[in-house]
Amino acid sequence: MLILQCPYCGIKCDETELAPGGEAHLKRYGPGSTDEEFEAYLFERKNPLGVHFERWRHANGCGKWFLAARSTTTLEVFGTYKAQTTEPPAEIVAAIKAKLPDWEGRQ
């Protein structure tokens, strides 16, 4: 079972208290973008085997959105952080690199 800690209220909860929100750190395209850029934003998602950055909502708690870094193969959670963060925090990147030294970063 996947256990994540909400960075807002500090509660550790399992996935039954959370609502998944898909891939994190997407570049959003709006007015002025090409049809191809907007189509890619809507439909193209990474599905990596390994480290993945995701959006989650603490649905049965504080209700806030947050981001999580986890392994899709082992469900190991490297950390969670606030949704307003544009890049993974240095401590989470360090935790990933400590476990997976040849990890090349977010693609």
Side-chain angles (χ1 to χ4, degrees), residues 8-87:
Y8 295 98
C9 62
I11 296 174
K12 286 186 178 181
C13 47
D14 66 51
E15 58 202 84
T16 62
E17 289 188 41
L18 305 168
E23 186 178 344
H25 304 294
L26 293 174
K27 179 170 175 44
R28 288 166 172 79
Y29 292 96
S33 64
T34 66
D35 290 343
E36 292 78 20
E37 289 172 330
F38 191 64
E39 178 184 10
Y41 164 68
L42 288 177
F43 301 111
E44 293 179 15
R45 296 291 183 265
K46 295 176 186 165
N47 189 15
L49 186 62
V51 178
H52 189 49
F53 296 89
E54 304 169 320
R55 297 174 67 231
W56 289 89
R57 184 172 162 265
H58 193 180
N60 293 343
C62 66
K64 294 187 178 181
W65 285 94
F66 64 92
L67 306 178
R70 72 173 182 95
S71 171
T72 59
T73 54
T74 64
L75 294 184
E76 178 179 4
V77 177
F78 297 104
T80 60
Y81 50 105
K82 295 182 177 183
Q84 294 80 9
T85 309
T86 57
E87 291 292 323

